[in-house]
Amino acid sequence: MAFPNTRVKVNVVSKPKERSFLELKRIITLIVGIALMAGVYFILPANQTDSARVMLAFLVLSVFYWTFEPIPIGLTAVILLVLMLVFHVVTTDVVYSGFASPAVFLIIGGMMLAKGVNDTTLTKRIAYLFLSKWGGTAKGLLASILIIPQIQSFFIPAAAVRATLMLPIATMSLDTIGEKAKGNLEKMILLAVAFGGTVSGTAVMTAAIGNILTVELLKEFVGIKITYIQWFTYTFPIWLILIPVVWFTLLKRFPLTEQEKHFPHVKEELEHKLEELGKLNIQEKKCLAILLMIVALWFTESLHGLHPSVPALIGVVLMALPGIGCTKWDNLVKINFDTVMLMGVTLSLGYAFNKSGAAKLVGDSLSADWILYFFHSPVVAVIAVLLITHILHLAVANVSTAVVTLIPIFIGLSTKAGADPVLICLTASIACLHGYILVVEATPNIIVHSSGRIKQKEFLIPGLLLTFLMSAVVLLTAVTWWNWIGLL
C-alpha cells in the first residue's frame, strides 16, 4: 500500500512544480516581448514620426507574442487593440476598422457554416465514400486522405476545421489496419492530413485566412479588388500540381513493405460504415443544397457583385431557419472567438501600419537599389519573394501575422520598383500558406501533432522537400500560366 501512496504524492508535488515552471516561462516571454518592443522604438531614427515608430514597435510585439504564445492569441489581439487606442498611433476609426471589414464576417460565416455541416453526417459520408473505394491500399488511402480536404475547402473555409474533421477519420483507418500501421504508414497518413489541409487552402480564396487578408490589404493599400473566381484562376494550377506532388513525396519518403501496402479489411470496414449511414437523409440534402448555392454565388461574384461574406451569411441564415435548415442556431454560434479577434486585429494592424507611416518607413529603409533590382524582373521578383517569405515564415509562425507583416512591405517595394503588386503579393501569400517544415507553421500541422502520434522530427525532411517543390511549382506556374494570362 505504501508504494501507490508514494507515487500519488510525487505526482501531486510535481504538477505544481511543472505549472510554476510554465508560468515563469510565460512571464519571462511576456517581459522579453515588452523589451523588444521598447528596443525597436528607441533604435528607430528619432527624425521619423512618433506614430510610425510606435506602430513598428507594436508590430514587433505582435509577431513575438503570436509566435511564442505566452498568452492566448485572442488575448494578444485585445492587448494590441488597447495599445493602439491608448497611444493614439492612428485614429480610433482606423483601429476599429479591421472589425468592420467584410473579411471578418466571411470568417465568422465560414466557421458557422462549418459547425452546421459538422452537425450533419455529410462530411463523414464523403470521407467514407472515398475510403470505401480506395482505402484498401496504402496508395489509395493516402490519396483519399489528401483529396477529401480539397473537396471540403469549397464549403468549409477554415483549414483548422478541415484538419480537425479529417484527423479522427485517419486515425480510425490506422487503428483498423492494426499492426501494419505502427511505422512508416502511420507517419505518412498523419502527415497527409496536415499537408493535405494546407494544400486545400491554395485555390479557394475563402479556404485560408491568409488569402482573405491578402485580398483585403490589396484593396485597402492600392485599391485592387481580386474576386473569388480571379483567385481561383490564378492559383488552381499550383493546387492541382501540388496534390500529386505531396502524394508522391510522402510515398517516397516513407517506403513500405509489400505486406504493409495492402489491407482489404479496412475497405470492408468503411463499406460497412457507409452502409450504416444509409441513403442521404433530409438534413444532409438540405445542407448539400445550401452549400452548393453558396459555392455557386462565390464563383459568380463578378456577375452579382456580392462580397464572398454575403453568400456565407446567407448560408448561415438558411441553415438555421426552421423547416429549411439542417441545424439549430444555438449550435451555429459556438465558434472560436479567438479567430474572430485575430482576424479583426490583424486587419486593423495592417490598416494602422499604412496610416501611421510605418509602412512608408519600412519601405524607405528597404528601397536600396540592390533590393529594388530584384523587383524589376518579374521572374526574379517571384524567386526573391518566395525565398524571403519562406525564411520569415520560419521565424513568424502565425500565417496571419506573416501576411499582415509582409504584404504592406511588398506592396510598397513593388510600387517603387514599378512591379505588379498583385503578382508580388499573390506569391507571398501562397508562400505564407504553405508551411510544412515546423509544426507551428500551419494550423493543420499543429492539430495533427496534438494527436501525440507524430513528432516534430517527422515533419522536417518531407517539409523541406515540399517547401522546395512547392516553390518550384509556383515558379513554373509563373513563367507559364501567369505569363499566358498576363499576370507575369
Side-chain angles (χ1 to χ4, degrees):
M1 293 294 291
F3 181 73
N5 288 339
T6 304
R7 185 175 64 183
V8 171
K9 186 178 180 181
V10 170
N11 284 342
V12 170
V13 172
S14 64
K15 284 182 179 178
K17 282 185 177 179
E18 186 179 340
R19 283 197 295 268
S20 298
F21 174 74
L22 290 172
E23 192 71 20
L24 179 62
K25 187 179 176 182
R26 291 191 188 100
I27 291 169
I28 291 171
T29 307
L30 287 168
I31 293 169
V32 171
I34 293 168
L36 278 173
M37 178 178 68
V40 168
Y41 176 77
F42 289 111
I43 287 170
L44 288 170
N47 61 346
Q48 297 294 332
T49 62
D50 197 55
S51 60
R53 293 165 65 201
V54 172
M55 193 61 230
L56 274 172
F58 289 165
L59 189 62
V60 169
L61 181 71
S62 70
V63 169
F64 186 80
Y65 280 1
W66 276 327
T67 300
F68 294 100
E69 287 191 53
I71 51 178
I73 58 172
L75 179 55
T76 297
V78 175
I79 288 172
L80 289 164
L81 200 67
V82 171
L83 286 173
M84 286 190 289
L85 290 165
V86 169
F87 284 86
H88 303 291
V89 286
V90 287
T91 64
T92 303
D93 289 345
V94 174
V95 175
Y96 284 126
S97 62
F99 292 91
S101 169
V104 173
F105 289 91
L106 176 57
I107 290 297
I108 294 171
M111 289 192 293
M112 293 176 81
L113 287 173
K115 290 290 292 183
V117 173
N118 206 26
D119 284 344
T120 72
T121 51
L122 186 61
T123 299
K124 276 187 179 179
R125 184 181 296 278
I126 293 170
Y128 292 161
L129 186 63
F130 274 86
L131 293 170
S132 64
K133 290 185 180 297
W134 297 293
T137 66
K139 289 182 178 179
L141 178 61
L142 178 62
S144 299
I145 294 295
L146 287 172
I147 291 170
I148 293 167
Q150 314 310 318
I151 298 169
Q152 292 173 337
S153 67
F154 285 95
F155 53 85
I156 300 179
V161 177
R162 296 193 293 273
T164 302
L165 292 173
M166 280 306 303
L167 183 59
I169 293 168
T171 53
M172 177 204 69
S173 301
L174 292 169
D175 292 341
T176 306
I177 291 166
E179 287 300 314
K180 292 181 182 180
K182 293 295 175 69
N184 278 355
L185 181 61
E186 181 175 47
K187 295 170 187 174
M188 181 175 73
I189 296 303
L190 290 176
L191 286 176
V193 175
F195 297 163
T198 294
V199 171
S200 67
T202 307
V204 181
M205 190 185 82
T206 55
I209 291 178
N211 302 352
I212 301 166
L213 281 169
T214 301
V215 169
E216 290 300 311
L217 291 172
L218 275 168
K219 183 180 175 183
E220 169 70 17
F221 279 54
V222 287
I224 296 174
K225 181 183 178 183
I226 299 177
T227 64
Y228 184 97
I229 192 66
Q230 281 177 316
W231 185 280
F232 188 84
T233 303
Y234 295 150
T235 56
F236 85 89
I238 300 170
W239 177 53
L240 291 179
I241 296 170
L242 279 177
I243 298 168
V245 164
V246 173
W247 180 81
F248 185 78
T249 302
L250 290 176
L251 280 176
K252 290 299 179 184
R253 178 67 187 99
F254 299 102
L256 304 172
T257 64
E258 282 302 317
Q259 291 77 15
E260 292 173 322
K261 290 180 180 178
H262 303 279
F263 24 83
H265 62 289
V266 174
K267 188 173 182 290
E268 293 170 7
E269 174 68 19
L270 290 162
E271 284 175 349
H272 178 65
K273 285 186 177 292
L274 190 59
E275 286 175 7
E276 286 181 345
L277 288 178
K279 294 182 179 180
L280 273 173
N281 59 47
I282 187 65
Q283 300 303 101
E284 288 177 288
K285 289 177 181 177
K286 289 177 180 179
C287 182
L288 187 59
I290 292 167
L291 293 174
L292 290 173
M293 180 210 70
I294 294 166
V295 173
L297 287 172
W298 278 339
F299 268 106
T300 54
E301 182 187 346
S302 59
L303 298 177
H304 52 66
L306 295 175
H307 186 274
S309 61
V310 180
L313 293 173
I314 291 172
V316 168
V317 171
L318 292 175
M319 278 189 173
L321 282 178
I324 299 174
C326 55
T327 186
K328 295 180 180 178
W329 178 255
D330 290 347
N331 294 338
L332 291 181
V333 294
K334 294 174 183 175
I335 60 174
N336 185 349
F337 199 65
D338 270 0
T339 305
V340 178
M341 294 302 300
L342 179 65
M343 186 69 184
V345 171
T346 47
L347 278 170
S348 291
L349 276 173
Y351 300 158
F353 191 63
N354 186 31
K355 298 289 185 183
S356 67
K360 184 177 184 301
L361 172 58
V362 174
D364 291 342
S365 307
L366 296 175
S367 293
D369 290 341
W370 68 273
I371 293 177
L372 293 177
Y373 170 78
F374 290 119
F375 289 82
H376 289 152
S377 165
V379 175
V380 176
V382 168
I383 296 170
V385 169
L386 284 169
L387 185 62
I388 292 167
T389 306
H390 281 311
I391 292 171
L392 182 72
H393 193 21
L394 289 171
V396 183
N398 185 285
V399 175
S400 300
T401 310
V403 168
V404 85
T405 304
L406 280 173
I407 296 302
I409 295 171
F410 281 144
I411 288 174
L413 289 174
S414 60
T415 302
K416 290 194 176 215
D420 182 1
V422 174
L423 171 68
I424 303 300
C425 294
L426 184 65
T427 304
S429 182
I430 293 169
C432 282
L433 171 67
H434 290 269
Y436 301 111
I437 301 169
L438 301 179
V439 167
V440 294
E441 277 192 280
T443 311
N445 297 359
I446 296 170
I447 289 166
V448 170
H449 183 261
S450 69
S451 69
R453 299 175 66 152
I454 193 165
K455 297 179 180 178
Q456 164 63 68
K457 65 180 181 180
E458 311 300 347
F459 283 81
L460 190 58
I461 301 302
L464 285 166
L465 287 170
L466 283 173
T467 300
F468 172 77
L469 291 170
M470 169 263 162
S471 301
V473 169
V474 173
L475 183 59
L476 176 65
T477 304
V479 298
T480 54
W481 178 248
W482 289 356
N483 188 33
W484 298 336
I485 63 175
L487 183 61
L488 189 69

